[in-house]
Amino acid sequence: MIYVQPELPYAADALVPAISPETIHFHYGKHEKAYIENLNKMVANTEWDDVELEDIIRKADGPLFNNASQAWNHIFYFFSFSPDGGGEPGGELGEAIKRDFGSFEEFKRQFVDAGVKLFGSGWVWLVSDNEGKLKIVQCKNAENPLRDGLTPLLTFDVWEHAYYLDYQNRRADALDALWSVVDWGVVEERY
Ligand code: MN
């Protein structure tokens, strides 16, 4: 199986000012492209060759896990955004956020706080357990909540490559800016 990097559903400059076209170019066009190329090289002519990507993430270790998970995480991340995004989630997800965090504002505060406090590289996730309860989890490096049987709903990338061109050391500002482009329709469908 050959994994193909999907085209983004928006233009490189569509998420300004939250994410610049330069960051899209390097982050999706270079970093993510390399993870997918490495993944394809590693699985070719091995027992992993026709294993679904999410199953590689659940079962593999070491460099194969790292590249598989990073390949998946970045598609999940970039496909959570839209130039028409922002606002608040509705429906069952909106209700569950109020139930489990008290309010949407409090959820956003805890989510950004978890991202800022994650030491080093990684991802902050909103996940659902198999009873629909929502949680915020921090994952270092390429770690992935799929390995813990959780359903990922939303993630913000806190690797420096995700924000350094636009925000330098201001990780909190970089994460706060993303609320203006989150496509809650996509996140609600994942729930
Ligand atoms: Mn990244």
Side-chain angles (χ1 to χ4, degrees):
M1 191 188 310
I2 301 291
Y3 298 99
V4 177
Q5 185 176 13
E7 293 247 348
L8 290 177
Y10 43 79
D13 61 357
L15 304 182
V16 171
I19 304 177
S20 71
E22 291 75 23
T23 289
I24 299 270
H25 172 72
F26 283 101
H27 195 188
Y28 198 71
K30 304 286 185 188
H31 287 276
E32 169 65 343
K33 182 166 183 275
Y35 290 127
I36 292 180
E37 286 175 354
N38 289 338
L39 170 66
N40 281 320
K41 281 183 207 150
M42 285 180 186
V43 299
N45 305 311
T46 73
E47 68 205 279
W48 300 99
D49 198 11
D50 53 5
V51 178
E52 292 289 335
L53 184 54
E54 292 184 9
D55 283 331
I56 297 177
I57 292 168
R58 290 187 184 98
K59 294 170 186 163
D61 290 304
L64 176 57
F65 166 74
N66 286 336
N67 283 283
S69 190
Q70 287 292 80
W72 190 92
N73 290 353
H74 283 93
I75 293 167
F76 192 86
Y77 170 75
F78 279 103
F79 279 72
S80 302
F81 301 133
S82 163
D84 303 318
E88 293 193 22
E92 285 180 43
L93 178 65
E95 290 302 312
I97 285 174
K98 289 192 186 91
R99 181 193 67 207
D100 294 335
F101 299 102
S103 69
F104 181 60
E105 288 305 313
E106 178 60 15
F107 156 70
K108 289 196 294 183
R109 191 194 66 73
Q110 290 184 23
F111 193 83
V112 169
D113 191 54
V116 168
K117 287 180 176 161
L118 200 165
F119 189 79
S121 295
W123 302 80
V124 58
W125 299 83
L126 174 65
V127 300
S128 169
D129 69 15
N130 54 20
E131 284 161 4
K133 182 169 168 50
L134 303 179
K135 283 195 288 194
I136 294 168
V137 296
Q138 296 167 308
C139 287
K140 286 179 184 284
N141 301 319
E143 280 174 16
N144 194 304
L146 288 170
R147 281 168 86 91
D148 298 317
L150 297 165
T151 302
L153 303 176
L154 177 69
T155 190
F156 286 179
D157 188 342
V158 301
W159 286 59
E160 284 186 348
H161 69 222
Y163 61 86
Y164 222 81
L165 284 177
D166 299 339
Y167 297 89
Q168 297 78 48
N169 61 323
R170 293 176 288 119
R171 186 189 284 188
D173 291 348
L175 299 183
D176 268 328
L178 294 176
W179 297 123
S180 68
V181 291
V182 170
D183 185 340
W184 288 106
V186 168
V187 183
E188 285 170 28
E189 278 175 32
R190 293 167 176 165
Y191 183 48

